[in-house]
Amino acid sequence: MEKTFNLARRDDGIAILTMDVPGETMNTLRAEFGPEITDILTEVKADSDITGLVIISGKVDSFVAGADISMLAACKSEADAKALSQQGHVLFSELEGLSIPVVAAINGACLGGGLELALACHLRICSDDKKTMLGLPEVQLGLLPGTGGTQRLPRLVGITTALDMMLTGKQIRPKQALKMGLVNDVVPNSILLETAIELAKKGKKAAKPVVQSKINQFLESTSFTRDIIFDQARKQVLKKTQGNYPAPAKIIDCVRQGMSKGVVKGLEVEATHFANLVMSKESAALRSLFFATTEMKKETGAEGAEPREVKKVMVIGGGLMGGGIASVTTTKAKIPVRVKDISEQGLSNALAYAYYLLDKGVKRRHMIPAVRDNIMALMTTTTEYNGIKDADIVVEAVFEDLALKHQMVKDVERECGENTIFASNTSSLPIGQIAEAAKRPENVIGLHYFSPVEKMPLVEVIAHKSTSPETIATTVAFARKQGKTPIVVQDGAGFYVNRILALYMNEAAQLLLEGQRIEHVDNALVKFGFPVGPMTLLDEVGIDVGAKISPILEKELGDRFKAPAAFDKLLADDRKGRKNGKGFYQYGPKAKKAKLVDESIYKVLDIATASDKEAKEVAERCTIQMLNEAVRCLEEGIIASARDGDIGAIFGIGFPPFLGGPFRYIDTLGAANLVTTLHRYQTLYGDRFAPCDTLVNMANDGSLFYKK
């Protein structure tokens, strides 16, 4: 059996321990490596000729990407998970306890268990490579660092900095790591090993004390002031998580107990909390999401089809969407893009937007001006169809108007090659209807981005009946290059994400018309776990945009999509939301400090506010509409699987990740319970709550979307 760890002795007394997991592109820590590490540490201790140890990775661009989280699925109880954590504690304590200096030489990803390994070393040095990132991202999986991270990190970099890293899961670049004292030196990768060897020769004294800001020095100086840090952190966490995620509070507790009662107590608390989180439903949901997205990256979106290479892209439309699409194409995919718009103004807006996004990176010192300018040089503009003959894919981002989109298809077919893909960023028009104007309908596909493009991770790749498998595979690969998570959905009004969102928004509107206050509806859904409430969302997206989509959905999908007629009054009152400073909330200088409802809206809609309904009921009415419609989309084949439906809802509209997505949440609730609730609301409010056939069948036979 091939070994993962190899020890090489040098003549100068320094030994090099190389970690290289056989057959894997990245190193991950696994429980079964325990005996191998123990044997090596025993060997090192027994050899008096070894005066220093350097730990390095055998992989080209990663140190250790973390612990292998698939081993957590094998834990059947909290006792199993606690044993796993404690096994790590014993190993890392042995490493830390070596009398000779131990140096971690880090190049590439050093995350989670990888950073905890580095923290157990006496000194750390990292390369200045752009792939070098350090962090403890466990919180993003509903977990906490379980092999000593909650104890070693605060002692190394200070409580405030450590909490910030662990509670956000943020990744730290080499220069930041040096500044905060996380590493002792940063050097080019070409001299990483030699510098680490020299550091090992200098011995443990080479470590410099961390220089903290005056305020942090003061706050961390006494137990009383430390409590202020922990209390503030707890309040901020509660505000952000609404109490839906248990991991952050447990991270704070591990640090608090460890700093006040010592490392031994701290490690005991860490193992207990880690075990509790491993068995929690929230972490199970977040881990399932991680595995689902990892699995998706291996799929082409169309079985048996290979993607064509995309060397040049054209974007039609220089608005916010077009500018955003062009920007992720040059910045993330590094593909040249030509933006076409009918006006010079539209083109300069697109260029200005792309420059603004890149310049943020320069201001934060994540890139140098020359890199920004090189990326900007990949974007060119035109008001005619010039310089686009060789475009491999054309992304259209013009108004939601079928006649206009038909014209675009004809123009592109006339001006581009016969294999050029025409991808429409429509949010509601069926792609089959757009393809009716095409001579080559097999090249026509939907590519639906969400706003703002540079931030929202999801894109829907929409195939109509004649779209070729090669077109699907090429579009999926292109979206991935842009840094997106693509889900392939079938054609139909609203596709998947906007369709399930529309009913959720309509129900929120109904509640408003029944007299529920705007902020009460929004707060109820934020408490449930959505990032923003539905009224805030409508203001952000644009009330006029919502009004355009509703009639299309109603025409194609029926009465249950009918938006409340009263909402026409909002447009008559010129309320478009944030974009024109007039919506459900107040905008402008007055509203800078606090988010205030524009009370005049009640008069416009002719509403008398009623007493607040229970927040649970408000959230339930809106979300069960979404759940019911998600299942209907699966029933109709709009989405291929429950997995795709869960990823689409979480990444597209911020469905609460800790619930795992609509389908996992239905499995948790039980289909029978959901059908009972839907029937109850159907009796009270009408047939828009009628459960779909699949849910009724599942309620009868007790089946699940996911196997246990």
Side-chain angles (χ1 to χ4, degrees), residues 28-63:
T28 54
L29 293 171
R30 296 175 195 161
E32 65 258 32
F33 298 157
E36 206 183 323
I37 300 170
T38 304
D39 289 349
I40 282 171
L41 293 179
T42 307
E43 200 182 319
V44 169
K45 276 184 207 164
D47 191 338
S48 57
D49 290 340
I50 297 177
T51 57
L53 181 67
V54 171
I55 300 178
I56 198 162
S57 164
K59 304 296 179 197
V60 181
D61 53 14
S62 79
F63 179 68

Side-chain angles (χ1 to χ4, degrees), residues 455-472:
K455 283 189 181 152
M456 295 299 280
L458 188 80
V459 290
E460 289 178 303
V461 174
I462 305 120
H464 66 96
K465 287 190 169 49
S466 311
T467 306
S468 72
E470 193 182 30
T471 296
I472 298 171

Side-chain angles (χ1 to χ4, degrees), residues 392-403:
D392 299 297
I393 186 164
V394 175
V395 184
E396 162 275 302
V398 298
F399 297 115
E400 291 287 275
D401 180 272
L402 192 58

Side-chain angles (χ1 to χ4, degrees), residues 536-589:
T536 302
L537 185 61
L538 201 48
D539 262 3
E540 294 295 332
V541 172
I543 297 168
D544 53 331
V545 175
K548 274 198 191 109
I549 295 172
S550 281
I552 298 170
L553 296 177
E554 191 187 339
K555 179 173 164 257
E556 299 286 333
L557 299 165
D559 280 350
R560 70 179 187 285
F561 280 89
K562 189 172 177 61
F567 268 47
D568 294 342
K569 294 175 184 171
L570 296 179
L571 293 180
D573 193 43
D574 191 33
R575 285 178 190 262
K576 292 178 182 172
R578 182 182 284 280
K579 69 171 86 166
N580 75 339
K582 222 175 153 191
F584 293 99
Y585 288 92
Q586 293 179 27
Y587 298 98

Side-chain angles (χ1 to χ4, degrees), residues 212-222 225-226 228:
Q212 285 192 307
S213 68
K214 291 271 187 287
I215 180 78
N216 285 356
Q217 274 177 12
F218 167 70
L219 285 172
E220 296 181 21
S221 59
T222 69
T225 49
R226 282 202 295 266
I228 296 172

Side-chain angles (χ1 to χ4, degrees), residues 8 43 45 50 66 97 133 176 316 344 555 603 647 655 660:
E43 200 182 319
K45 276 184 207 164
I50 297 177
M133 289 294 214
Q176 285 173 288
I316 306 178
E344 289 291 351
K555 179 173 164 257
K603 202 169 175 186
I647 286 172
F655 188 90

Side-chain angles (χ1 to χ4, degrees), residues 78 81-82 85 89 142-146 150-151 246-257 265-280 283:
E78 285 194 23
K82 189 169 182 177
S85 172
H89 287 166
L143 299 168
L144 54 74
T150 67
Q151 302 308 303
K250 289 192 186 304
I251 289 171
I252 294 167
D253 190 49
C254 288
V255 179
R256 188 175 60 79
Q257 295 222 46
K265 176 66 178 170
L267 290 174
E268 165 59 29
V269 173
E270 180 185 274
T272 305
H273 282 341
F274 174 79
N276 180 259
L277 290 170
V278 168
M279 303 314 289
S280 71
S283 178

